[in-house]
């Protein structure tokens, strides 16, 4: 029998799984029937359309008048060069919204994405082929790289590029693929609740989890307009922190771990009260604990190994965030 409700169930569980470099799965549950896809579809659109990335928006090649021209000594014609350039993914090393980068290559040389990295920009697709130039060739070119979202055709930015530069179609989105699936799960004998599973992959300009957080932020900001006049009450949500499988272990107090008196006193004087605080420290941070000698360092290292948290072990981002939240309270 279906119970009468006055509000839909609020999901309380979230899991983050790192599948590979630049790819994660984010799983949230349990949702009322139909609510998972209601949330998932707009988030997918925001991930693809609102994630911020960098792309070349303009190009100038010495001695070239237009995109259908050619460069003496370069195997590729200019149009082919442009196609290759658009597949190179950049990452700015500073906070500038727009960067101009100048290059000069002398043949013979096979130019790849890796050759475009310098003190101003990082290239996250180093193996992309850009051009091949012969022994007697010199290739001089400049690129304007901008920060943006979505796709912008060259016609719309023609008036914004510097004089003498060719505008380029610009695809800023660093998210290369987003899919989601929903599955039914059992909650209190009701099999009609749902789980949503996002699978997010980026090109390396931004971490997929960061892209997901940004999409959530954009969604929140877009919907916040309604609260300016309507004063919507947002209820506090029990996020199920205590249900994390590792949280109870990491919230063990230092005095329960049977450290020697000298080792315990060093940790206690440094303000470290819980195992989780110790696990969040890297090797250098542990070594720099005041008055911590080599014997105590070895004791800590051995204890962390025994507990399954060797020094330097990578901790899932959701667990790190949960621990920091608890230790800041």
């Amino acid at each position: 029998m279906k119970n009468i409700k006055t509000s839909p169930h609020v999901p309380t569980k979230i899991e983050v799984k790192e599948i590979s470099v630049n790819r994660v799965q984010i799983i949230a549950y349990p949702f009322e029937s139909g609510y998972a896809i209601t949330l998932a579809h707009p988030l997918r659109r925001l991930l693809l359309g609102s994630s911020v990335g960098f792309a070349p928006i303009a190009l100038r090649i010495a001695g070239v008048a237009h995109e259908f021209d050619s460069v003496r000594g370069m195997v590729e014609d200019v149009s082919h060069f442009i196609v290759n350039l658009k597949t190179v993914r950049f990452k700015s090393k500073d906070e500038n919204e727009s960067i101009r980068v100048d290059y000069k290559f002398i043949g013979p040389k096979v130019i790849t994405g890796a050759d475009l990295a310098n003190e101003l920009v990082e290239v996250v697709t180093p193996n992309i082929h850009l051009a091949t130039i012969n022994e007697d060739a010199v290739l001089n070119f400049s690129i304007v790289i901008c920060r943006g979202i979505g796709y912008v055709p060259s016609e719309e930015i023609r008036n914004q590029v510097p004089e003498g530069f060719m505008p380029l179609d610009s695809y800023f989105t660093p998210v290369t693929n987003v899919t989601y699936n929903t599955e039914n799960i059992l909650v209190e004998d009701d099999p009609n609740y749902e789980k949503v599973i996002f699978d997010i992959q980026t090109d390396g300009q931004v971490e997929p989890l960061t892209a997901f957080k940004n999409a959530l932020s954009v969604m929140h900001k877009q919907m916040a307009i309604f609260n300016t006049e309507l004063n919507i009450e947002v209820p506090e949500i029990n996020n199920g922190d205590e249900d994390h499988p590792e949280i109870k272990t990491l919230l063990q107090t230092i005095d329960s771990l049977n450290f020697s008196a000298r080792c315990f006193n060093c940790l206690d004087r440094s303000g470290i009260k819980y195992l989780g605080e110790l696990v969040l420290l890297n090797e250098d941070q542990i070594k720099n604990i005041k008055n911590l000698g080599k014997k105590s360092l070895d004791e800590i290292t051995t204890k962390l190994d025994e507990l399954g948290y060797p020094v330097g072990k990578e901790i899932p981002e959701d667990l790190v965030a949960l621990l920091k939240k608890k230790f800041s309270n």
Side-chain angles (χ1 to χ4, degrees), residues 237-280:
I237 298 172
N238 175 15
N239 57 16
D241 290 351
E242 300 301 331
D243 294 330
H244 196 289
E246 298 182 65
I247 197 66
K248 289 183 180 179
T249 300
L250 292 170
L251 288 181
Q252 292 181 82
T253 57
I254 293 297
D255 58 8
S256 70
L257 299 179
N258 298 319
F259 283 120
S260 66
R262 179 176 178 81
C263 183
F264 169 78
N265 289 334
C266 284
L267 295 173
D268 187 56
R269 283 194 294 268
S270 297
I272 298 173
K273 305 295 184 184
Y274 299 96
L275 171 61
E277 293 178 282
L278 196 54
V279 167
L280 291 178

Side-chain angles (χ1 to χ4, degrees), residues 279-290:
V279 167
L280 291 178
L281 300 179
N282 60 38
E283 185 176 2
D284 289 338
Q285 290 171 321
I286 294 176
K287 288 180 178 178
N288 289 331
I289 294 175
K290 190 174 181 180

Side-chain angles (χ1 to χ4, degrees), residues 9-273:
H9 181 80
V10 177
T12 57
K13 312 284 187 181
I14 184 168
E15 301 171 16
V16 179
K17 297 181 179 180
E18 185 174 331
I19 306 301
S20 61
V21 177
N22 301 324
R23 182 184 172 196
V24 299
Q25 282 187 348
I26 300 172
I27 305 166
Y29 59 96
F31 291 89
E32 292 272 3
S33 178
Y35 279 71
I37 194 169
T38 300
L39 173 71
H41 188 66
L43 272 176
R44 179 179 183 275
R45 293 193 62 169
L46 288 172
L47 276 161
L48 292 171
S50 300
S51 296
V52 178
F54 285 86
I57 69 162
L59 168 69
R60 182 175 67 185
I61 303 176
V64 170
H66 51 77
E67 63 183 287
F68 302 108
D69 210 337
S70 61
V71 177
R72 180 179 176 274
M74 185 169 75
V75 173
E76 296 79 5
D77 56 29
V78 172
S79 61
H80 192 180
F81 178 87
I82 291 173
V83 170
N84 292 343
L85 177 62
K86 289 178 183 178
T87 62
V88 179
R89 307 302 288 166
F90 296 91
K91 189 175 181 181
S92 173
K93 292 185 178 180
D94 55 35
E95 297 300 319
N96 291 335
E97 296 290 315
S98 178
I99 310 162
R100 174 176 164 172
V101 193
D102 301 315
Y103 299 101
K104 180 179 180 179
F105 296 103
I106 300 174
K109 184 172 180 59
V110 176
I111 305 168
T112 66
D115 295 308
L116 303 186
N118 58 24
E119 68 278 1
L120 296 177
V121 293
E122 177 184 345
V123 175
V124 297
T125 52
N127 297 324
I128 295 293
H129 176 78
L130 186 62
T132 300
I133 54 177
N134 298 327
E135 185 174 356
D136 59 344
V138 176
L139 178 61
N140 280 298
F141 64 95
S142 300
I143 309 171
V144 177
I145 301 169
C146 279
R147 190 169 182 260
I149 61 173
Y151 167 76
V152 181
S154 59
E155 293 79 7
E156 295 185 9
I157 57 174
R158 193 172 297 277
N159 296 329
Q160 300 177 34
V161 303
E163 186 176 354
F165 279 74
M166 295 179 285
L168 305 177
D169 296 331
S170 304
Y171 189 71
F172 296 100
T173 304
V175 178
T176 57
N177 190 42
V178 185
T179 60
Y180 65 82
N181 290 312
T182 60
E183 299 176 358
N184 286 103
I185 58 172
L186 184 68
V187 176
E188 297 179 353
D189 299 324
D190 187 342
N192 294 316
Y193 283 84
E194 295 176 340
K195 170 191 295 186
V196 62
I197 305 166
F198 290 95
D199 194 315
I200 306 167
Q201 190 163 1
T202 68
D203 60 16
Q205 292 187 74
V206 64
E207 294 181 354
L209 186 59
T210 300
F212 187 74
K213 291 177 182 178
N214 291 341
L216 289 169
S217 176
V218 170
M219 177 180 279
H220 175 76
K221 290 174 182 177
Q222 292 291 315
M223 298 182 70
I225 182 61
F226 298 107
N227 202 37
T228 58
E229 293 291 338
L230 303 181
N231 297 319
I232 301 167
E233 291 186 13
V234 180
E236 291 188 7
I237 298 172
N238 175 15
N239 57 16
D241 290 351
E242 300 301 331
D243 294 330
H244 196 289
E246 298 182 65
I247 197 66
K248 289 183 180 179
T249 300
L250 292 170
L251 288 181
Q252 292 181 82
T253 57
I254 293 297
D255 58 8
S256 70
L257 299 179
N258 298 319
F259 283 120
S260 66
R262 179 176 178 81
C263 183
F264 169 78
N265 289 334
C266 284
L267 295 173
D268 187 56
R269 283 194 294 268
S270 297
I272 298 173
K273 305 295 184 184

Side-chain angles (χ1 to χ4, degrees), residues 292-306:
L292 186 72
K294 185 178 185 307
K295 188 174 180 180
S296 295
L297 175 62
D298 292 341
E299 185 179 348
I300 290 171
T301 301
T302 301
K303 177 64 70 174
L304 291 178
D305 284 340
E306 291 174 358

